[in-house]
Amino acid sequence: MSGDQVDVVLRARRAVVDGTERPASVGVRDGYVAGVEDVDHPWGAGREVVLADDEVLLPGLVDTHVHVNEPGRTEWEGFASATRAAAAGGVTTILDMPLNSVPATLDPAALAVKRAAAQGRCAVDVGFWGGAVPGNADQLGPLHEAGVYGVKCFLLDSGVEEFPPLDAAGLQEALTELARFDGLMLVHAEDGGELHEHAGGPRFADFVASRPPSAEAVAVRTVAEAAARAGARAHVVHLSSAAGLAEVRAAKAAGTRITVETCPHYLTLDADHVPDGDTAFKCCPPIRDRAEQDALWRGLLDGTIDCVVSDHSPCTAELKRLSEGDFGAAWGGIASLQIGLPVVWTAARERGVPLATVVGWMSSATADLAGLGDRGRIRAGNVADFAVFAPEQAWTVDAQALHHKNKVTPYAGRDLVGVVRSTWRRGAPVDLDDPSGRLLSR
């Protein structure tokens, strides 16, 4: 293949290719990977980029769980700020959740409204999930045909009135409809009957106790049984507990078509180190103790947990009630879209987990979940989306320097290792001020 003509070639002494780290050169033609060869391969290139010795070439990350909140609650985030944050963090594709925007993405008309709001505002590629709520089972097929990658439901109050939860009968109806065309159901799996009353207040332990692991375990079992009856695919979002993990493991062993994700905050933050009154740490399910965290890492390493996503769920500083410190009144959600990779890598490095493994959880596995076969890996034929990552560079999170619209994050002041030095989309470095990202359809 000597002399292959490409537009640009990237040469890296360290690159994550086929799940391993090795030297490689990557040729790019017309925005796609033309081939992957030895690092010194004599490409005929119009431009050559040689990575520094301390840099690793990664596939662009795919984050399949992002709440952009536009239109309707754009003061919480928005496509422009969210996709700039994504690009700054090495994320080249995001999938937007159907709720917290108004209208919620519950039918093709609402999807069209959201796509119109995103058009011309995105620095990275953006796809969309639809939603399943009581009474819209007849819209799941049309949403699928309109290009959503699947639909999401809640089994308890979502926190916004326009996205009510499904009861057991509604869940079964939706899964049965999705099975008809092999659609994917994402589920916020907490069982409301297992929650305990929380009077509010500043004690984080009280909030955690109100949402015990049993709520997740019961809900995961409910989802698995309903999916098995329907012959449908189900995906459990933001797993937080060993009890929930055990239910997923049992369902997979039984042949149920179920997958599961977890998030940086469950892998790196623990309840014993959350300051009372610091509502930046509030999310649902809650951050749990170190034993639960260790179980999640074991679940990732043995393949029970399929992938890691941000669940970027920002809101305004006012809604976090930071001055009051009331975990009952504050909005629940963690903002981490821009810093997910270094957060997870810092913890993985301490546990002896290779960078290539982390990248697999956050790129190829997430791409596979959504059926995005043209991204998530550096291989011929895929879109030429990359992140240039310096895995040993130390830094401290400055919340004010993040591109998130609202600068509230529990990682403020946290010491991390790993810096995304540049992000490439379709064979060119991303300009954060150039909204040339594409809107994707299944």
Side-chain angles (χ1 to χ4, degrees):
M1 297 180 67
S2 177
D4 296 337
Q5 185 62 47
V6 293
D7 303 321
V8 62
V9 59
L10 293 90
R11 300 189 188 275
R13 294 292 169 186
R14 301 171 66 187
V16 173
V17 180
D18 297 328
T20 61
E21 189 178 308
R22 65 175 177 85
S25 63
V26 181
V28 176
R29 185 186 302 118
D30 298 329
Y32 289 84
V33 176
V36 183
E37 300 290 344
D38 294 337
V39 68
D40 296 320
H41 178 78
W43 297 91
R47 178 187 179 201
E48 290 211 1
V49 176
V50 179
L51 271 64
D53 288 343
D54 68 337
E55 295 176 339
V56 186
L57 184 66
L58 311 180
L61 303 187
V62 177
D63 192 338
T64 52
H65 194 149
V66 178
H67 294 270
V68 177
N69 306 333
E70 184 176 7
R73 294 189 175 95
T74 310
E75 69 274 14
W76 293 19
E77 189 59 276
F79 286 103
S81 54
T83 58
R84 283 196 299 269
V91 179
T92 52
T93 303
I94 66 170
L95 293 193
D96 174 52
M97 281 292 165
L99 72 157
N100 300 346
S101 55
V102 181
T105 315
L106 303 179
D107 54 41
L111 175 63
V113 171
K114 181 166 282 192
R115 289 179 67 90
Q119 188 67 49
R121 292 180 172 87
C122 301
V124 301
D125 291 354
V126 178
F128 303 91
W129 299 110
V133 299
N136 87 322
D138 63 341
Q139 295 300 310
L140 304 185
L143 276 167
H144 182 77
E145 291 301 314
V148 301
Y149 288 85
V151 297
K152 181 185 184 180
C153 73
F154 276 69
L155 301 186
L156 78 177
D157 181 18
S158 72
V160 292
E161 62 181 1
E162 64 273 3
F163 205 95
L166 295 178
D167 60 15
L171 175 66
Q172 194 68 63
E173 179 186 21
L175 283 166
T176 299
E177 174 62 11
L178 289 168
R180 187 175 61 80
F181 46 85
D182 201 31
L184 177 63
M185 172 69 89
L186 281 63
V187 186
H188 180 123
E190 288 182 286
D191 186 285
E194 291 290 314
L195 302 189
H196 305 310
E197 184 176 353
H198 179 228
R203 291 191 72 245
F204 186 65
D206 292 342
F207 169 64
V208 175
S210 74
R211 303 183 87 105
S214 63
E216 198 166 55
V218 169
V220 171
R221 190 181 318 134
T222 297
V223 172
E225 291 173 351
R229 284 192 296 268
R233 294 188 295 144
H235 177 74
V236 174
V237 299
H238 50 52
L239 189 77
S240 72
S241 68
L245 178 66
E247 293 293 339
V248 172
R249 185 175 284 117
K252 287 189 171 189
T256 304
R257 302 173 70 196
I258 192 167
T259 51
V260 62
E261 68 190 34
T262 193
C263 306
H265 38 284
Y266 300 126
L267 295 171
T268 64
L269 306 175
D270 69 86
D272 292 337
H273 293 88
V274 174
D276 284 345
D278 194 343
T279 52
F281 287 83
K282 181 180 177 180
C283 58
C284 300
I287 293 160
R288 305 192 189 277
D289 64 26
R290 182 61 184 252
E292 300 279 10
Q293 185 182 104
D294 289 343
L296 296 177
W297 279 98
R298 290 193 295 271
L300 276 166
L301 291 169
D302 70 20
T304 305
I305 300 176
D306 298 273
C307 55
V308 177
V309 299
S310 68
D311 186 12
H312 180 68
S313 185
C315 66
T316 62
E318 291 75 17
L319 287 173
K320 270 296 186 184
R321 307 294 181 92
L322 297 169
S323 60
E324 302 166 35
D326 186 341
F327 280 100
W331 175 261
I334 303 290
S336 66
L337 177 57
Q338 184 172 335
I339 56 176
L341 175 59
V343 165
V344 177
W345 166 236
T346 299
R349 180 173 173 267
E350 292 173 353
R351 292 172 180 265
V353 179
L355 177 60
T357 300
V358 172
V359 172
W361 296 333
M362 303 180 77
S363 60
S364 56
T366 45
D368 290 348
L369 170 70
L372 290 161
D374 66 345
R375 61 199 67 210
R377 295 172 174 86
I378 300 176
R379 69 180 179 192
N382 273 13
V383 291
D385 291 353
F386 313 115
V388 176
F389 188 60
E392 303 305 321
Q393 183 176 340
W395 63 291
T396 302
V397 178
D398 175 4
Q400 294 305 310
L402 299 177
H403 291 278
H404 306 157
K405 181 172 287 186
N406 291 283
K407 315 298 185 182
V408 178
T409 175
Y411 300 105
R414 194 175 182 92
D415 294 328
L416 301 176
V417 291
V419 171
V420 175
R421 291 186 177 162
S422 67
T423 301
W424 291 58
R425 195 184 63 81
R426 298 186 183 271
V430 173
D431 178 349
L432 299 187
D433 295 320
D434 175 18
S436 58
R438 302 185 185 183
L439 303 187
L440 306 176
S441 291
R442 180 193 51 79

